[in-house]
Amino acid sequence: MNEHRPDMIELSAYFDGELDPARQRSVAAHLAACPACAAQFDLLRMLAADFERLPAETLGFDLAGVIEGRLAAAPRPQPRHDRGWRGLLPVSVGAAASVACGIAMGFALFGGAAAAPRVALMSVFDTMPPGSLCIGLESCYTNGAKR
Amino acid sequence: MECMISRTDDAEAELVVRAQAGDHRAFALLVGRYQDPVFRFVLRMCGIRDEAMDLTQDTFLKAYRALPAWRPEARFRTWLFQIAHNATLDVLRRRQRVEFVPFAEDAPEGAILEATDPAPTPEQALADRQRIVLLERALRELPAEQREVLLLREVEDMSYAEIAATLGIGEGTVKSRLARARVAALAHYRGHAGENRDE
């Protein structure tokens, strides 16, 4: 009898009906003949019965209604698909537009409009101040008066 | 019976597919079906009612967001409890109340057999109510990994395969962990009954 004595792991699995059919039968036969193992088995039964008597805890309100309300406001979850190269199309178009825009701006800054600031800069070294007013020699005004 | 379960599973899978397509009503039906089992599980795991209510709601919102990843091969209940289990463990870890007691999964069989007394115990004489109090106390004191495996088997009536899928462990581990959890719960009974006698 002892050579087939089930350990607690087997007894527990037997109680749950999780042993293979042959072992399930041999444990049943052992329990019928072994009071010690039968007592152990009774403890497992008692424990399971006590679990059944535990108070049935409930949430106490309709969570479904709450969740439904929240979901109505939330965006729908999108399945993740592998979109391949088409998925990258908007990104590449955007990148190309950014580069083109950058080139155009650079051209505008350092191309046609670049001359004007240079002239303004050079005028600092001119003998004539802006507005053609000479703050220097008197002859300047004399020359103008002759004319 | 098996046929009935299969029909239930099919009907449930249909609800999940509808929910995946954006049918909020279908998802609400699934919530209505599982709100109490999920709440019961997380409450027994974390022990605080308000926290369990938040965790239950969080579980369903996470499930909704993860719906596109659900595949018909997975049973919805298992998948949902997996989410609930992970969310609960996160909370327990944050609270640093989770106690992973290291023990060998392959401990000698004798050690387990010694833990219970084959002789009739004083618990048998205790009234039902007293035993329930002891069981609740035992559940609170068990390590989280033993508590969860007991709850999934004894309360939710899950098969070893379902428990294994829910907890992400092997069926062999479920088998041995469950036996140890039962032994530990019974040892708590005996220990606390002894305390009560001494009082």
Side-chain angles (χ1 to χ4, degrees):
Chain A
M1 187 178 74
N2 280 344
E3 59 190 274
H4 296 298
R5 184 179 179 168
D7 58 31
M8 191 57 173
I9 294 174
E10 263 191 318
L11 213 52
S12 163
Y14 168 78
F15 179 70
D16 295 325
E18 293 271 356
L19 293 177
D20 64 74
R23 191 62 190 139
Q24 198 81 16
R25 278 193 300 274
S26 71
V27 172
H30 178 86
L31 286 178
C34 175
C37 289
Q40 294 255 31
F41 188 71
D42 284 344
L43 288 177
L44 294 182
R45 265 211 292 243
M46 180 198 80
L47 186 65
D50 286 351
F51 265 105
E52 278 181 22
R53 289 193 202 99
L54 279 176
E57 300 285 354
T58 57
L59 194 56
F61 66 92
D62 178 27
L63 181 61
V66 176
I67 296 264
E68 206 177 353
R70 287 187 64 172
L71 294 185
R76 195 180 133 190
Q78 293 298 317
R80 275 177 290 177
H81 293 304
D82 186 11
R83 290 180 295 173
W85 65 271
R86 280 190 186 83
L88 295 173
L89 203 60
V91 179
S92 48
V93 167
S98 299
V99 171
C101 199
I103 291 170
M105 283 173 73
F107 200 73
L109 280 172
F110 301 106
R118 194 158 59 91
V119 170
L121 201 69
M122 289 305 288
S123 68
V124 171
F125 304 104
D126 204 345
T127 51
M128 291 293 284
S132 300
L133 293 170
C134 182
I135 54 164
L137 299 169
E138 223 174 278
S139 56
C140 292
Y141 298 102
T142 321
N143 287 345
K146 271 182 189 170
R147 237 185 272 160
Chain B
M1 181 69 184
E2 204 168 285
C3 184
M4 212 170 82
I5 290 169
S6 173
R7 270 206 302 274
T8 310
D9 283 355
D10 287 350
E12 192 167 274
E14 201 184 304
L15 278 179
V16 185
V17 170
R18 276 171 50 199
Q20 275 183 321
D23 183 345
H24 292 165
R25 187 73 208 125
F27 190 71
L29 286 172
L30 291 166
V31 175
R33 186 175 292 182
Y34 286 111
Q35 68 168 50
D36 285 339
V38 167
F39 174 70
R40 212 162 44 209
F41 175 68
V42 296
L43 177 61
R44 295 257 178 236
M45 285 302 292
C46 74
I48 300 172
R49 198 172 178 86
D50 285 349
E51 204 162 46
M53 287 163 98
D54 287 347
L55 268 171
T56 306
Q57 188 165 327
D58 199 33
T59 296
F60 284 105
L61 289 172
K62 278 181 177 163
Y64 182 75
R65 282 195 290 270
L67 267 181
W70 179 82
R71 294 286 170 268
E73 303 86 68
R75 208 172 158 195
F76 183 73
R77 179 172 80 147
T78 311
W79 184 75
L80 189 63
F81 269 83
Q82 211 171 5
I83 294 171
H85 165 248
N86 290 337
T88 309
L89 279 196
D90 282 348
V91 166
L92 290 179
R93 281 196 194 104
R94 272 203 296 275
R95 269 163 42 184
Q96 294 183 321
R97 275 186 51 181
V98 68
E99 292 166 23
F100 287 104
V101 177
F103 63 89
E105 296 289 353
D106 302 310
E109 291 159 9
I112 295 173
L113 281 171
E114 278 168 20
T116 51
D117 188 352
T121 56
E123 291 87 66
Q124 287 165 336
L126 290 174
D128 284 353
R129 181 64 206 145
Q130 281 175 298
R131 284 222 311 274
I132 300 310
V133 171
L134 286 178
L135 177 59
E136 286 185 322
R137 200 161 152 183
L139 277 174
R140 279 197 301 272
E141 290 173 13
L142 282 181
E145 61 182 16
Q146 290 188 357
R147 193 161 66 234
E148 64 189 5
V149 82
L150 262 179
L151 291 171
L152 294 176
R153 176 63 212 162
E154 300 282 16
V155 181
E156 301 310 323
D157 201 26
M158 284 190 184
S159 69
Y160 286 12
E162 254 190 295
I163 297 173
T166 302
L167 303 181
I169 54 180
E171 279 186 51
T173 307
V174 172
K175 194 173 163 183
S176 55
R177 194 176 287 179
L178 186 55
R180 282 175 176 80
R182 281 169 165 157
V183 168
L186 289 168
H188 270 81
Y189 268 32
R190 203 173 44 182
H192 290 310
E195 278 174 27
N196 292 343
R197 273 203 313 274
D198 295 342
E199 280 163 8

